[in-house]
Amino acid sequence: MKAARLVEFAGPDGLAIEEVLAPVPGPGQIRVQVRATALNRADLLQTMGLYPAPPGVPADIPGLEYAGVVESLGAGVTRWQVGERVMGLVAGGAWAEQLVTHEREGLRIPGQLSFEQAAAIPEAFLTAFDALTLQGGMREGHTVLIHAVGSGVGTAAVQWAKAVGARTVGTARTAAKLERVKALGLDLGLLVDGAAPSFAGQVQANVALELVGGNYLPETIEAMAPGGVVMLVGLTAGITAELSLRTILSRRLRIIGTTLRARSLEEKIAVAEAFAAQVLPYFAAGTIAPVVGSKVPLAGLKGALEAMASNETFGKTVVTL
Amino acid sequence: MKAARLVEFAGPDGLAIEEVLAPVPGPGQIRVQVRATALNRADLLQTMGLYPAPPGVPADIPGLEYAGVVESLGAGVTRWQVGERVMGLVAGGAWAEQLVTHEREGLRIPGQLSFEQAAAIPEAFLTAFDALTLQGGMREGHTVLIHAVGSGVGTAAVQWAKAVGARTVGTARTAAKLERVKALGLDLGLLVDGAAPSFAGQVQANVALELVGGNYLPETIEAMAPGGVVMLVGLTAGITAELSLRTILSRRLRIIGTTLRARSLEEKIAVAEAFAAQVLPYFAAGTIAPVVGSKVPLAGLKGALEAMASNETFGKTVVTL
């Protein structure tokens, strides 16, 4: 099969499209013929050698999400039949024509969505759902602060928060991105200077989706209402920050670091099953929708990664196979 | 009645023993004849004007815990009779011969304990129980890291953690304090230089009781096992810290700020009732015991506060009335 292989840790330039052996589905696993995959910031780190794949997935093929068709079944698989449409998260290996995954991690693609649309769902919406709902305790009436609101996770979070009746406040560094997210349900858009972010005076958030970290986090903490939860999901602005412990203590805040990739199979299955029950019906009803900012073929992967690195993208960048 | 009144924000010197009017119990409240109270670091802050009492409690009488006898009943009280022995937390007003409190916040004093012993229980053990168990999710087999392990909360936390079958690791700045806590069940004592604390290489903790903050917190974060919970309870070493967000994210840590005083009455009652059900039986059985480091009369309050400020104390300092 064809795959985007990491041949050296050199950023996107370290990738080569090569022929490799297809993976073999083990017990309980399905093999998927991938029709579309997508880009994530974690992929950029992986191409630089900063985010190695965990054991059990291909170390040299990045790619964290996919949409495709069940191609064959491992021993004991009961939930899928060959030919069914499936999407999901993997810990690596999705930038390839085929991948294997546990049958209980796969999600059924809602009927009206294309493979390209479906490939834009898993990482963005599972991350937003897991962080805001399962860990952050977001409820109707809450105010939710979402940074990098034009990103894949940001656009997913706005839609999911609106779907459950929360008020959405988002930050971005360009007015054009904020305008585009307003059409998705953003209630208040805050234009932020990345060098000196200042937004704490404009919001009192119950839950924050901290996708940026670094110099944003001190402001995020000041922007929290008593009892608020800061979900620390991304660190594009920096990996350290000087924080006010007094604010964290006196407001009884919770700062929660989270990553989906490092979890055990059982934890991942639990998130996938909660997502299937609680979020997929909204896609089926058309209340929420994946945001495909651009589409490229596998050969266009490098250029698309560079565009993401320079913050030019909106929503998800999908790769077709 | 006699009370220690704060007449100016001048540290312990701002306190004067004066005659004041006794408080009147409202509906659902009991009035307590206080037989013993105790000191907390928060009192020091309050004498400096840095930790004002919340609404509804005397602004000028510090004191956060008490043991005594029910003296009279407000309207509608059903749980207490005059003459019963009671202890508990209040948000202020305990450095006085009488105080009022909601009947559901009061805890029954286990039979064999004196008033002096009982006064050493509420703040230390409720804080440790709430932080480690109710919020931190401490379980049998966990490793628990406890800073300032010779303090009132520290000595309570060691005993409670041992009682539920956890392994206890504690830090202190003198070997003598570590030795004394070993007798209470400390499994591993780490002598720490307060100017440059270094202990992360010696422990992998599931739950940490961060009673110190400041320059301890970066080390505490490095000392956490994946999925660990840091309960931020005290900040004697400093109110800011530069933290590794990468470690928080990649290990999926939770940093939780907590304070009992700022909570609603309903929240406080819930903690008191959980404590009565889960912890008081251990006192009754003698498995855990309050640690009374020293006892002073009300007239000795100032000197005792100064001893606490200079870290000379061990366990709780109790004030008899």
Side-chain angles (χ1 to χ4, degrees):
Chain A
M1 67 172 186
K2 210 171 280 181
R5 251 194 92 217
L6 198 53
V7 292
E8 58 175 324
F9 293 136
D13 286 337
L15 289 165
I17 311 300
E18 296 188 350
E19 284 290 327
V20 300
L21 291 175
V24 177
Q29 290 187 322
I30 54 175
R31 184 158 68 186
V32 177
Q33 186 72 35
V34 178
R35 299 288 300 275
T37 178
L39 306 192
N40 288 283
R41 287 197 170 265
D43 304 323
L44 279 173
L45 294 177
Q46 188 167 352
T47 65
M48 294 184 277
L50 298 175
Y51 193 52
V57 295
D60 57 349
I61 304 177
L64 299 172
E65 57 194 322
Y66 68 91
V69 172
V70 177
E71 184 267 348
S72 61
L73 309 180
V77 167
T78 59
R79 300 186 162 218
W80 295 93
Q81 299 190 329
V82 170
E84 289 185 304
R85 302 200 318 153
V86 60
M87 62 181 178
L89 282 182
V90 285
W95 291 353
E97 289 179 327
Q98 295 192 344
L99 58 79
V100 295
T101 188
H102 193 279
E103 64 165 335
R104 291 176 69 195
E105 287 190 272
L107 297 162
R108 287 175 205 284
I109 299 176
Q112 83 281 19
L113 297 182
S114 67
F115 290 115
E116 288 85 354
Q117 289 176 302
I121 290 176
E123 186 74 34
F125 282 90
L126 278 158
T127 297
F129 167 68
D130 175 74
L132 294 178
T133 298
L134 297 184
Q135 294 194 72
M138 176 179 72
R139 297 193 309 267
E140 188 179 346
H142 270 178
T143 293
V144 179
L145 173 62
I146 301 160
H147 294 311
V149 74
S151 67
V153 179
T155 53
V158 166
Q159 293 184 74
W160 175 240
K162 289 306 291 181
V164 305
R167 176 170 170 263
T168 54
V169 180
T171 70
R173 287 186 286 175
T174 72
K177 285 190 184 181
L178 290 175
E179 276 310 306
R180 290 180 75 173
V181 187
K182 280 185 184 164
L184 298 172
L186 183 66
D187 293 309
L188 175 63
L190 302 173
L191 189 62
V192 165
D193 173 5
S198 172
F199 50 81
Q202 292 162 274
V203 54
Q204 280 263 297
N206 306 103
V207 184
L209 198 61
E210 180 52 272
L211 299 169
V212 178
N215 61 348
Y216 278 60
L217 187 56
E219 277 284 298
T220 300
I221 285 172
E222 290 307 321
M224 300 310 293
V229 181
V230 178
M231 296 303 309
L232 196 57
V233 177
L235 300 176
T236 54
I239 61 171
T240 66
E242 172 114 6
L243 303 183
S244 167
L245 310 183
R246 181 146 71 181
T247 302
I248 297 171
L249 193 157
S250 64
R251 292 194 204 161
R252 302 169 59 198
L253 304 182
R254 284 180 283 161
I255 320 288
I256 301 180
T258 183
T259 165
L260 292 168
R261 196 190 202 186
R263 301 188 194 179
S264 70
L265 177 62
E266 284 310 313
E267 289 177 291
K268 288 175 179 176
I269 287 171
V271 174
E273 292 183 344
F275 185 84
Q278 295 180 49
V279 186
L280 281 189
Y282 288 86
F283 283 106
T287 317
I288 59 180
V291 177
V292 179
S294 60
K295 279 189 275 191
V296 295
L298 198 56
L301 192 54
K302 286 185 203 183
L305 281 166
E306 281 153 9
M308 184 172 66
S310 60
N311 298 311
E312 290 162 12
T313 51
F314 184 81
K316 295 290 294 187
T317 300
V318 167
V319 180
T320 54
L321 284 107
Chain B
M1 67 172 186
K2 211 171 280 181
R5 251 194 91 217
L6 198 53
V7 293
E8 58 175 323
F9 293 136
D13 286 337
L15 289 164
I17 310 300
E18 297 188 351
E19 284 290 328
V20 301
L21 291 175
V24 177
Q29 290 188 320
I30 53 175
R31 183 158 67 185
V32 177
Q33 186 71 35
V34 178
R35 300 288 300 275
T37 178
L39 305 193
N40 289 283
R41 287 197 170 266
D43 304 323
L44 279 173
L45 295 177
Q46 188 168 351
T47 64
M48 293 185 278
L50 298 175
Y51 193 53
V57 295
D60 58 348
I61 304 177
L64 298 171
E65 58 195 322
Y66 68 90
V69 173
V70 177
E71 184 267 349
S72 61
L73 308 179
V77 167
T78 59
R79 299 186 163 219
W80 296 94
Q81 299 189 330
V82 170
E84 289 185 304
R85 302 199 320 152
V86 61
M87 62 181 179
L89 282 181
V90 285
W95 291 353
E97 288 178 328
Q98 295 191 345
L99 58 79
V100 294
T101 187
H102 193 279
E103 63 165 334
R104 292 176 69 194
E105 287 190 90
L107 297 163
R108 286 174 205 285
I109 299 176
Q112 83 281 20
L113 297 181
S114 67
F115 290 115
E116 288 84 354
Q117 289 176 303
I121 290 176
E123 186 74 34
F125 282 90
L126 278 158
T127 297
F129 167 68
D130 175 75
L132 294 177
T133 298
L134 297 184
Q135 295 194 71
M138 177 180 71
R139 296 195 308 267
E140 188 179 347
H142 270 178
T143 293
V144 179
L145 173 62
I146 301 160
H147 294 311
V149 74
S151 66
V153 179
T155 52
V158 166
Q159 292 184 75
W160 176 240
K162 288 308 289 180
V164 305
R167 178 171 168 262
T168 54
V169 180
T171 70
R173 288 186 285 174
T174 72
K177 284 191 185 181
L178 290 175
E179 276 310 306
R180 290 180 74 174
V181 187
K182 279 185 184 163
L184 298 172
L186 183 66
D187 293 309
L188 174 63
L190 302 173
L191 189 62
V192 165
D193 173 6
S198 172
F199 49 81
Q202 291 162 274
V203 54
Q204 280 263 295
N206 306 102
V207 184
L209 198 61
E210 179 53 272
L211 300 169
V212 179
N215 61 348
Y216 278 60
L217 187 55
E219 276 286 297
T220 300
I221 284 171
E222 290 307 320
M224 300 310 293
V229 181
V230 178
M231 296 303 308
L232 195 58
V233 177
L235 300 176
T236 53
I239 61 171
T240 65
E242 172 114 5
L243 303 182
S244 167
L245 310 184
R246 181 145 72 182
T247 302
I248 296 171
L249 194 157
S250 64
R251 292 194 204 162
R252 303 169 57 198
L253 304 182
R254 282 180 285 160
I255 320 290
I256 301 180
T258 182
T259 166
L260 291 167
R261 196 189 202 188
R263 300 188 195 179
S264 70
L265 177 63
E266 283 311 313
E267 289 177 292
K268 288 176 178 175
I269 288 172
V271 174
E273 292 183 345
F275 185 84
Q278 295 180 50
V279 186
L280 281 189
Y282 288 87
F283 283 107
T287 317
I288 59 181
V291 177
V292 178
S294 60
K295 279 189 274 190
V296 295
L298 197 57
L301 193 55
K302 286 185 202 182
L305 281 165
E306 281 154 9
M308 185 172 65
S310 61
N311 299 311
E312 290 162 13
T313 51
F314 184 81
K316 295 290 293 187
T317 300
V318 167
V319 180
T320 54
L321 283 108

